[in-house]
Structures are given as C-alpha cells and as structure tokens.
Amino acid sequence: KRLFLSHNRICDAGVVALLDNLGAAELKQLELLSLRNNQITDAGCATLTAAIQGGRLPALRVKYPMAGNPASAEARQALHDALVANEARAV
C-alpha cells in the first residue's frame, strides 16, 4: 500500500516504467507513493496525473510528496488537484 522511492534519481522514464511494471492489482491498492528528491519533471507529473485521472491509481491520496524534483509548480499543482479529486471520489 506504500511505496517509498525517494532519493533514487528516478526520471520521467522511470515513472513510466514504474506504472508499466506494477500489476493492476498493486496499482489499485497503492495509497502512498513517495518520489521525493528525484529527477521528475513536468512530463513525469503529467504521466502520474493521467494515471490518476484514468483510474489506474484509485487509492492514491493527497499524502503525495513530490518535493525536491525539478517539476514546475504548475505541474505539481495539477498532480495535487488530481489527487484531491481522487480522494473525493473515494469518499
């Protein structure tokens, strides 16, 4: 339910690989994904946002640390907004 991948030099391709290689059952159960202090840019945030909005990560909540990545404030905000909407759907 919790996956901590902070400080691992994960880039945008790593985000794609993570989503592609976790099974559907694991993704649906994931509540916390920590990707702090990696190398994720706006593209990686967009990938995560699309996965959330597409229902691939239905249990993922707002407790999503994205600090320390080079993604723009706008990309991080879009991701945060998707997580807030995700949490609201679960209630």
Side-chain angles (χ1 to χ4, degrees):
K1 292 186 177 193
R2 296 184 177 121
L3 184 56
F4 295 91
L5 296 172
S6 300
H7 302 279
N8 281 294
R9 298 183 185 174
I10 295 170
C11 61
D12 300 331
V15 172
V16 171
L18 175 68
L19 293 174
D20 286 349
N21 288 296
L22 282 178
E26 289 86 3
L27 285 175
K28 290 190 183 298
Q29 294 176 22
L30 196 59
E31 295 174 0
L32 174 69
L33 175 60
S34 178
L35 292 169
R36 295 178 67 118
N37 299 304
N38 282 292
Q39 299 171 353
I40 300 168
T41 69
D42 290 8
C45 283
T47 298
L48 285 170
T49 299
I52 292 162
Q53 292 172 335
R56 292 184 67 197
L57 298 160
L60 202 60
R61 299 294 174 254
V62 175
K63 299 174 192 167
Y64 180 84
M66 198 61 178
N69 284 286
S72 68
E74 294 82 12
R76 287 192 308 266
Q77 185 63 49
L79 180 56
H80 175 79
D81 293 346
L83 286 164
V84 169
N86 206 36
E87 192 166 347
R89 279 191 297 274
V91 174

